[in-house]
Amino acid sequence: MMDIIALPAGEQSKSLDVVTQVYDRLIDRQADRQTTIFAVGGGVVGDAAGFIAATYTRGVPFIQIPTTLLADVDSSVGGKVGVNHPRAKNMIGAFYQPFGVLIDTTALQTLPDREYRSGLAEVVKYGVIMDADFFAELERHIDDLNRRDPDFLARVIARSCRLKADIVEKDEFERTGLRATLNYGHTFAHAFEALCGYGELLHGEAVAIGMICASRLAERRGLIDASVTERQVALLTALHLPLTLPTPVRFT
Ligand SMILES: NC(=O)c1ccc[n+]([C@@H]2O[C@H](COP(=O)([O-])OP(=O)(O)OC[C@H]3O[C@@H](n4cnc5c(N)ncnc54)[C@H](O)[C@@H]3O)[C@@H](O)[C@H]2O)c1
Ligand SMILES: [Zn+2]
């Protein structure tokens, strides 16, 4: 027997209110520990459904079926699940690994342009922080990326998942600092998202701007050569990602 529970699109669905409504539905349907939850959707559905799976009867089997590029390469891998608190994003959650992740790249063909490019920013991030060959491969395949070539995307997604999994396997619970390298560009990005109001800047767009800020900071501290920043600027620009904040923002 299968039941579909649809969540309204948008970050608002990552809330304890929505989670409670889903618990009600599960209890109505007499779901038990043999019930498997499939999260079909972007990171919002994956995070919320994963939290429900982690907590309903103290844990039921859970399978991720991501449908956005960001969910393919980032949120469905690594086992972080959770919802937002009204005063803080991702504040309530758990580490809970899915039994598996099923990725069908054809889902990406219907993804709105900005959402697709937002996911590409995280792909570029993996190249910068972990894999120079991968970064160079992305530079050589800009056209394939821009036209969402399914074969190239399958390779890009597999490589990104492998790179993230390598880090998560060594520091699953964020204890050694290694997993924090995945946050490259994110300290700035989170500030920009808060500053612009959530929704105006997509997460990946904020990450693109944040990576350039972090790279320039590293340059100023004498840690890297300017050419490292310039290659990131060139690749992100070719992928039509923003490198500056959209509207004049007052830093007060
Ligand atoms: N758990 C983690 O490790 C982790 C990592 C990164 C991000 N996240 C979370 O992921 C969330 C963002 O995820 P997202 O970027 O996937 O956004 P999202 O889930 O909001 O999806 C973006 C939009 O695309 C629509 N959509 C989804 N798949 C589609 C498809 N195939 N075709 C057309 N439209 C489609 C959705 O309905 C939504 O409107 C945030 O809440 C963030 O905190 C979690
Ligand atoms: Zn991110």
Side-chain angles (χ1 to χ4, degrees):
M1 186 173 61
M2 195 177 81
D3 196 7
I4 295 175
I5 303 174
L7 306 187
E11 190 69 28
Q12 303 86 312
S13 281
K14 261 178 64 172
S15 71
L16 284 175
D17 283 349
V18 169
V19 165
T20 304
Q21 290 166 26
V22 177
Y23 291 146
D24 291 346
R25 289 278 294 274
L26 291 171
I27 289 169
D28 287 345
R29 300 298 300 249
Q30 297 178 319
D32 58 21
R33 281 209 188 120
Q34 264 66 54
T35 303
T36 300
I37 293 184
F38 294 81
V40 184
V44 164
V45 168
D47 281 12
F51 182 70
I52 291 159
T55 48
Y56 186 74
T57 69
R58 298 193 181 83
V60 297
F62 163 52
I63 294 181
Q64 290 266 25
I65 307 184
T67 61
T68 66
L69 183 57
L70 186 126
D72 288 346
V73 300
D74 195 354
S75 59
S76 68
V77 185
K80 281 190 187 175
V81 296
V83 296
N84 302 322
H85 183 273
R87 298 212 311 259
K89 194 165 147 58
N90 293 328
M91 198 47 107
I92 320 285
F95 289 98
Y96 193 67
Q97 296 293 347
F99 270 30
V101 183
L102 287 174
I103 299 175
D104 181 352
T105 52
T106 56
L108 298 178
Q109 300 303 327
T110 56
L111 202 58
D113 196 53
R114 279 184 70 195
E115 298 289 351
Y116 173 70
R117 295 184 189 287
S118 180
L120 285 178
E122 300 281 3
V123 170
V124 170
K125 177 193 78 179
Y126 292 123
V128 179
I129 61 175
M130 297 176 75
D131 190 337
D133 289 344
F134 184 43
F135 188 89
E137 191 178 356
L138 297 174
E139 289 178 315
R140 288 195 303 275
H141 287 269
I142 284 164
D143 288 347
D144 288 333
L145 289 169
N146 281 331
R147 72 175 127 87
R148 308 190 194 190
D149 179 81
D151 293 334
F152 188 61
L153 276 179
R155 277 179 38 202
V156 161
I157 292 166
R159 183 91 160 249
S160 300
C161 291
R162 184 68 260 158
L163 289 169
K164 179 162 181 184
D166 282 346
I167 287 190
V168 173
E169 277 164 20
K170 292 190 192 111
D171 182 23
E172 184 172 354
F173 302 110
E174 253 169 5
R175 290 198 177 121
T176 67
L178 182 65
R179 192 165 179 167
T181 59
L182 293 169
N183 293 339
Y184 174 57
H186 281 60
T187 307
F188 285 104
H190 291 149
F192 296 153
E193 285 176 284
L195 208 58
C196 292
Y198 288 100
E200 193 180 332
L201 257 191
L202 294 184
H203 175 69
E205 295 171 341
V207 169
I209 306 168
M211 287 194 288
I212 300 307
C213 293
S215 194
R216 294 220 163 102
L217 181 64
E219 259 181 56
R220 279 197 204 172
R221 296 184 60 197
L223 299 172
I224 57 164
D225 194 83
S227 64
V228 177
T229 310
E230 291 323 309
R231 278 179 72 191
Q232 292 170 75
V233 168
L235 180 54
L236 294 168
T237 304
L239 298 174
H240 307 287
L241 278 153
L243 300 182
T244 51
L245 291 170
T247 43
V249 179
R250 287 156 55 95
F251 290 90
T252 51

